[in-house]
Amino acid sequence: MFGLGQAQYYVTLALTIAALALEVFAFVHALKTRPDAFVAAGKRTKNFWLAVTGVAMLLGFISMGGLGLLAIIGVVAAGVYLADVRPAVETVQGRGTGSHQGPYGPW
């Protein structure tokens, strides 16, 4: 019989897999980005962000099947990279818009 505990387990497992995918995406993006783009964007070095996203990916892998403190730290680190660093280096490399235009004007 399918119980509530089993449903919670599957939801938690799906969330940790999604978090790990996010961390892997952040690491691969940092790996593929030119080193000078980080400095030109005013962010830390490529090696720093590779270390941060690599540790985040490792923490996400270690915490598979549970949403503990390590998983949260990994998701936050990858989220900071994806929300702050990635748009800046994309703009420097000419792939981002950099216009800060929303659907109703600048934001």
Side-chain angles (χ1 to χ4, degrees):
M1 183 162 161
F2 192 73
L4 181 62
Q6 195 172 13
Q8 289 174 338
Y9 170 76
Y10 286 126
V11 168
T12 303
L13 183 63
L15 288 174
T16 55
I17 290 172
L20 182 62
L22 180 89
E23 293 155 356
V24 169
F25 177 74
F27 180 76
V28 169
H29 184 272
L31 191 63
K32 292 171 61 175
T33 304
R34 294 188 334 243
D36 62 325
F38 291 95
V39 178
K43 304 300 176 186
R44 305 283 300 247
T45 64
K46 178 177 181 168
N47 289 336
F48 174 81
W49 288 111
L50 281 174
V52 168
T53 56
V55 168
M57 191 172 57
L58 179 67
L59 291 176
F61 182 75
I62 289 172
S63 63
M64 280 299 288
L67 292 175
L69 183 63
L70 294 177
I72 293 171
I73 292 170
V75 168
V76 167
V80 166
Y81 176 82
L82 292 174
D84 184 41
V85 179
R86 182 175 179 256
V89 296
E90 292 288 324
T91 302
V92 166
Q93 293 180 353
R95 291 185 284 208
T97 59
S99 64
H100 299 292
Q101 288 288 330
Y104 304 111
W107 54 277

